[in-house]
Amino acid sequence: MRKVLIIGATSAIAQETAKIYAQQQAAFFLVARNQEKLAAIADDLKVRGATQVDYHAMDINELDQHSTVIEQAAACLTGLNTVLIAHGTLDDQKVCEQNFAKTELALKTNFLSVVSLLTDLANRFEKQRYGCIAVISSVAGDRGRQSNYIYGTAKGALNLFLQGLRNRLHRHNICVLTIKPGFVDSPMTASFKKGLLWAKPEIIAKGIVKAIDKRKNEVYLPWFWWGIMFIISNIPEFIFKRMKL
Amino acid sequence: MAQQYESWGRFPKVFQHIHPLQWRSDSLPLTDQKILAQGLGRSYGDVCLNDKQTILATRGLNRFIHFDAHTGKLYCESGVSLAEILDLCVPQGWFLPVTPGTKFVTIGGAIANDVHGKNHHRAGTFGRYVLQFELLQSSGERLICSSEKHVELFKATIGGLGLTGLITWAKIQLKRIHHRAIHTESIQFENIEAFFELAEQSDENYEYTMSWVDCNYTKQIGRGIFFRGNHITEYEIPEKWKISSKKLTIPMDLPGFILNPWSVKLFNFLYYHQQKQKSVSKLADYDPFFYPLDAILQWNCMYGKRGFLQYQCVVPYEDHRMITEILNQIAKSGLSSFLAVLKNFGEVPSPGILSFPRKGVTLALDFPIKGAQTFALLDSLDDKVRECGGAVYPCKDARLSPINFQAYYPQWQAFSQFIDPQFSSSFWRRVTGET
Ligand SMILES: Cc1cc2nc3c(=O)[nH]c(=O)nc-3n(C[C@H](O)[C@H](O)[C@H](O)COP(=O)(O)OP(=O)(O)OC[C@H]3O[C@@H](n4cnc5c(N)ncnc54)[C@H](O)[C@@H]3O)c2cc1C
Ligand SMILES: NC(=O)c1ccc[n+]([C@@H]2O[C@H](COP(=O)([O-])OP(=O)(O)OC[C@H]3O[C@@H](n4cnc5c(N)ncnc54)[C@H](OP(=O)(O)O)[C@@H]3O)[C@@H](O)[C@H]2O)c1
């Protein structure tokens, strides 16, 4: 049976992913900030077929709580075999440029908190020698761009960290998956104008489940972002620095 | 930032601001504009549009809350679609008590239009199976409405076109089935008299009835195919059952000339003659039986950018001549498209104050918009419907005049007292003459 720990369980992408696992009768431990929202998700997953759903409300930036919560999750589900880390914030780049405290918070939420969680989880998984750790990063981490390089920095650093972790845990039979979605129509991007390149969270969720099943290392979702990011990453810097992306 | 939107009929096009709701605990947006909930936008006209105002997009409210597989009581958020309910409940032996011809509608939309299905002659409307719901009003109050509490508001909200507030969640009663298969029969008929005869024979023993009529064959007005069916009994359960999930999408707007009087005639001719015997009976999956059009995603693009109008009216049962007259007029105009549906409504009363279904014969069909002549034809049909004491369905409408609307729904003023002061729609402003 799949025993899933989801961090940032109220995220639109995470909710859709959980729905798919619920149909496969998975057991869940959900972590997010809001108790009421967690309860709503837990009810939904139970109706859809989940065998068990427990949850805990906390701000993920309370780093000192991480090991207690992970311990609680493992105890509730009598072990863990799948982790999905989905929380994140898309902070206003312009504000961050003027205010280091905001930048620091963005880096903490999107990068440091994940490192803290994975420090504990990696050691646990390394010992048990089975399972999959899936983390939602972003195409924004592939190249720094003037319009959102603070968020991009956090996601880029996360990509490097996950690469290293994958390299470390591979010999222990643990799969580490870096998920790189493109534009997703979710609350995070509610104020953006949507166009052709935008995908629904359901589509991203299907891709995540498939990539976990196939024990992939890295996945662009939808797939065509691989091509887009290949081109963007290969534009020579002397040209790129003049572009307004 | 207002953007251009349209509903299923692609007419009218409006500019509105969208406020997505994600949680049933969310409060309504603070705005000076009028607000209106929208589900999956499967209404054809403007009941789900709010020009220059704000739309509350409810698809984010798509969580189940509780399902009791022993009693068939389902409790879910208002943005859950009928398709999602079927996926969950059919494998557990439960079915929708009433379903429209598409499963891509939300519970909120099904309540607000008090939708009907192929079993109206027996089961009545969707609203009859709504046990309770929560209504969030602009005052911030959340009222739990049922046939026992806030009864008047309960009745006003069923068929209330979204004007009484936002339904955040609802509890509905599903119906037991033994299997997903439907025992179906399709029978050719040659004219309206034959249709009425078949309807009379079938209404008693068949849960589902509905007919397709050819509105283009001027030589023989009212020929068509009568479909009837029942859920199979526990003794008829087949050993093997294959579920096909093939879907086709109309990827772009088809140019107007593809749908012309000849192609429509040809389609109708082929459709009528598709079955070689006069009557065919077989087992069919519920999906193609109830939702044949859902297999073609975005079929509304078939009519091109200009869009189309759907016309659905009900006329009293006693007046066979009226339906023949209407069909004659449509056939002569050569303006209709191929999807014409005829069905008998029964007497089962609906709880809704403003609900459309009433005892009689209902006709529904599409008209690709070809300028003023299309509108003129429908205006004159409106008058005929009014003369004989019938009504036109708001959820399919984009053009009805205030005079005719108010004649079909004389209770509209009594209903108005239940409208939330901050809620309004393009439809409502049009048919009441408000600005
Ligand atoms: C192919 C096809 C076949 C159809 N067949 C039938 C049929 O057989 N019988 C029939 O009756 N109808 C039929 N319809 C119409 C359809 O069932 C109705 O328009 C239905 O109400 C659409 O639901 P929706 O979720 O798309 O709602 P929308 O079209 O988005 O909204 C419909 C109304 O519901 C209100 N509303 C939506 N959500 C809420 C909420 N949460 N709280 C308060 N108000 C809300 C809106 O304000 C609006 O007034 C058909 C439509 C199509 C496209
Ligand atoms: N949407 C996109 O276009 C896009 C593209 C690429 C990558 N991503 C990534 O995909 C992931 C999921 O995002 P989404 O699109 O599903 O958006 P979302 O619905 O807004 O999800 C973001 C989630 O992060 C949670 N969160 C933020 N800060 C938190 C904190 N301090 N503690 C606990 N939880 C916190 C939020 O919880 P609250 O509900 O409590 O605020 C929210 O549930 C994120 O990592 C995001 O960076 C998104």
Side-chain angles (χ1 to χ4, degrees):
Chain A
M1 186 175 58
R2 202 174 278 282
K3 299 176 177 184
V4 203
L5 167 64
I6 304 184
I7 310 280
T10 48
S11 118
I13 298 173
Q15 286 186 67
E16 291 301 327
T17 312
K19 280 184 195 171
I20 300 177
Y21 282 141
Q23 274 172 355
Q24 304 171 3
Q25 275 108 43
F28 294 90
F29 193 92
L30 312 176
V31 178
R33 273 194 283 211
N34 184 306
Q35 182 90 12
E36 200 173 4
K37 294 176 182 178
L38 280 166
I41 297 171
D43 286 343
D44 178 60
L45 295 178
K46 276 187 233 161
V47 174
R48 290 177 194 269
T51 44
Q52 182 188 345
V53 189
D54 290 291
Y55 54 85
H56 179 81
M58 69 175 285
D59 188 315
I60 215 62
N61 286 330
E62 291 169 22
L63 306 185
D64 52 352
Q65 300 289 311
H66 286 183
S67 55
T68 322
V69 174
I70 292 168
E71 182 55 46
Q72 192 192 342
C76 265
L77 303 182
T78 58
L80 295 171
N81 50 34
T82 310
V83 174
L84 174 65
I85 298 185
H87 69 275
T89 51
L90 183 55
D91 302 86
D92 189 322
Q93 169 71 27
K94 287 275 172 279
V95 174
C96 289
E97 283 169 20
Q98 303 303 323
N99 182 337
F100 175 70
K102 286 269 182 324
T103 301
E104 188 183 16
L105 183 63
L107 294 177
K108 187 172 179 190
T109 311
N110 291 309
F111 176 57
L112 280 178
S113 71
V114 186
V115 173
S116 161
L117 287 161
L118 289 182
T119 302
D120 190 297
L121 285 161
N123 292 335
R124 209 173 262 279
F125 275 53
E126 183 175 41
K127 256 186 248 135
Q128 72 186 33
R129 300 184 65 86
Y130 59 80
C132 176
I133 297 172
V135 183
I136 309 187
S137 178
S138 168
V139 293
D142 282 10
R143 190 153 194 184
R145 291 172 300 124
Q146 50 103 24
S147 59
N148 75 342
Y149 64 84
I150 299 300
Y151 176 74
T153 301
K155 294 294 192 185
L158 185 57
N159 293 346
L160 270 188
F161 178 83
L162 292 171
Q163 239 170 31
L165 191 67
R166 182 179 305 118
N167 191 212
R168 167 184 154 202
L169 293 182
H170 174 69
R171 77 204 64 200
H172 300 282
N173 189 33
I174 305 300
C175 128
V176 175
L177 169 66
T178 310
I179 302 156
K180 295 183 175 177
F183 298 148
V184 188
D185 184 358
S186 77
M188 183 174 273
T189 53
S191 62
F192 290 51
K193 203 170 166 198
K194 312 290 183 310
L196 263 182
L197 291 176
W198 288 77
K200 293 265 171 227
E202 299 91 288
I203 301 292
I204 307 299
K206 273 191 197 150
I208 293 177
V209 169
K210 206 164 133 194
I212 291 178
D213 283 344
K214 290 193 169 164
R215 297 179 68 84
K216 288 238 178 136
N217 303 318
E218 182 186 85
V219 61
Y220 284 89
L221 293 173
W223 60 272
F224 57 76
W225 281 94
W226 179 86
I228 296 176
M229 294 324 290
F230 179 81
I231 295 168
I232 291 186
S233 306
N234 283 290
I235 299 173
E237 188 66 16
F238 72 91
I239 299 177
F240 196 81
K241 71 178 180 191
R242 292 183 169 80
M243 292 167 70
K244 218 169 178 288
L245 276 173
Chain B
M1 171 184 48
Q3 284 188 41
Q4 187 178 305
Y5 286 90
E6 57 193 23
S7 65
W8 192 249
R10 313 193 67 194
F11 175 87
K13 313 216 189 272
V14 301
F15 281 85
Q16 53 193 17
H17 179 83
I18 304 290
H19 178 87
L21 297 169
Q22 303 295 343
W23 304 93
R24 58 180 182 270
S25 51
D26 283 356
S27 38
L28 297 176
L30 290 173
T31 163
D32 296 336
Q33 294 190 333
K34 295 279 184 186
I35 53 180
L36 178 77
Q38 185 184 73
L40 276 159
R42 267 350 188 249
S43 298
Y44 287 74
D46 53 3
V47 293
C48 61
L49 298 176
N50 209 4
D51 194 21
K52 301 190 188 66
Q53 310 293 326
T54 294
I55 280 290
L56 310 172
T58 63
R59 266 299 274 168
L61 310 179
N62 62 356
R63 295 175 199 87
F64 291 110
I65 301 171
H66 186 72
F67 175 53
D68 185 334
H70 298 293
T71 61
K73 290 188 171 43
L74 176 73
Y75 175 17
C76 64
E77 293 180 352
S78 61
V80 170
S81 73
L82 300 187
E84 288 161 332
I85 294 179
L86 290 164
D87 286 345
L88 175 79
C89 299
V90 169
Q92 304 189 55
W94 294 95
F95 201 73
L96 295 163
V98 165
T99 174
T102 171
K103 58 182 174 173
F104 300 127
V105 310
T106 63
I107 285 285
I111 296 174
N113 276 324
D114 196 14
V115 298
H116 58 270
K118 291 183 168 72
N119 59 353
H120 183 274
H121 60 286
R122 286 192 163 193
T125 62
F126 191 86
R128 290 176 52 84
Y129 305 90
V130 177
L131 304 170
Q132 46 172 222
F133 52 76
E134 181 184 75
L135 194 66
L136 173 56
Q137 298 200 302
S138 60
S139 60
E141 244 183 312
R142 291 175 181 263
L143 303 173
I144 301 200
C145 306
S146 69
S147 57
E148 275 140 32
K149 260 177 87 183
H150 303 295
V151 184
E152 291 307 308
L153 203 48
F154 179 69
K155 291 187 186 165
T157 302
I158 293 176
L161 308 176
L163 299 167
T164 59
L166 170 77
I167 302 167
T168 55
W169 56 256
K171 201 175 201 175
I172 62 169
Q173 177 63 56
L174 299 180
K175 159 173 106 176
R176 256 273 174 242
I177 53 167
H178 297 288
H179 189 264
R180 50 187 291 142
I182 306 277
H183 194 117
T184 71
E185 255 179 276
S186 46
I187 307 161
Q188 285 178 343
F189 59 85
E190 284 176 358
N191 51 43
I192 284 294
E193 266 55 51
F195 160 79
F196 279 106
E197 239 166 73
L198 274 168
E200 219 149 298
Q201 283 166 23
S202 314
D203 280 358
E204 175 127 350
N205 295 319
Y206 292 84
E207 169 83 13
Y208 302 108
T209 67
M210 175 286 244
S211 304
W212 164 84
V213 269
D214 186 344
C215 279
N216 284 273
Y217 191 57
T218 29
K219 271 191 235 154
Q220 203 179 328
I221 294 296
R223 72 171 184 185
I225 302 178
F226 194 96
F227 299 93
R228 55 191 191 188
N230 281 316
H231 292 283
I232 61 173
T233 63
E234 58 191 311
Y235 309 107
E236 293 169 302
I237 297 175
E239 266 173 36
K240 274 198 210 132
W241 196 250
K242 215 174 132 236
I243 306 165
S244 130
S245 58
K246 262 186 251 148
K247 292 261 185 288
L248 206 81
T249 306
I250 297 195
M252 51 180 181
D253 301 332
L254 294 187
F257 64 80
I258 292 190
L259 277 181
N260 57 47
W262 292 282
S263 66
V264 170
K265 275 206 173 103
L266 178 67
F267 174 89
N268 280 331
F269 178 84
L270 294 175
Y271 196 84
Y272 183 73
H273 292 287
Q274 65 177 339
Q275 59 183 60
K276 302 220 167 50
Q277 297 107 326
K278 194 170 176 323
S279 146
V280 177
S281 113
K282 61 173 189 200
L283 284 194
D285 195 68
Y286 79 79
D287 205 318
F289 178 71
F290 288 105
Y291 315 111
L293 283 173
D294 286 351
I296 314 168
L297 300 173
Q298 291 167 29
W299 61 261
N300 56 342
C301 292
M302 180 176 74
Y303 294 107
K305 272 211 182 65
R306 273 206 276 180
F308 64 106
L309 300 168
Q310 174 156 104
Y311 192 74
Q312 181 168 2
C313 60
V314 54
V315 297
Y317 192 73
E318 301 74 42
D319 212 347
H320 292 199
R321 270 171 320 155
M322 189 46 97
I323 221 63
T324 316
E325 227 180 283
I326 291 178
L327 286 174
N328 262 321
Q329 193 178 343
I330 294 170
K332 258 194 258 145
S333 76
L335 290 173
S336 85
S337 175
F338 33 73
L339 304 161
V341 168
L342 205 56
K343 151 141 197 81
N344 266 1
F345 279 161
E347 291 176 277
V348 195
S350 145
I353 298 180
L354 208 62
S355 295
F356 158 72
R358 56 203 73 184
K359 185 165 171 56
V361 193
T362 183
L363 170 72
L365 71 169
D366 292 348
F367 293 88
I369 296 179
K370 296 201 176 121
Q373 49 172 346
T374 311
F375 288 86
L377 171 70
L378 299 193
D379 285 345
S380 84
L381 296 183
D382 287 346
D383 295 339
K384 283 212 167 71
V385 170
R386 189 177 71 188
E387 266 164 45
C388 68
V392 168
Y393 194 2
C395 113
K396 310 281 178 88
D397 179 61
R399 34 138 302 274
L400 201 57
S401 70
I403 294 180
N404 278 325
F405 171 77
Q406 294 167 17
Y408 305 145
Y409 299 91
Q411 70 276 38
W412 75 279
Q413 270 167 320
F415 164 80
S416 299
Q417 61 177 306
F418 299 105
I419 298 180
D420 184 294
Q422 210 189 343
F423 280 70
S424 180
S425 67
S426 288
F427 174 85
W428 196 251
R429 291 190 289 275
R430 175 165 59 78
V431 298
T432 56
E434 268 174 43
T435 44

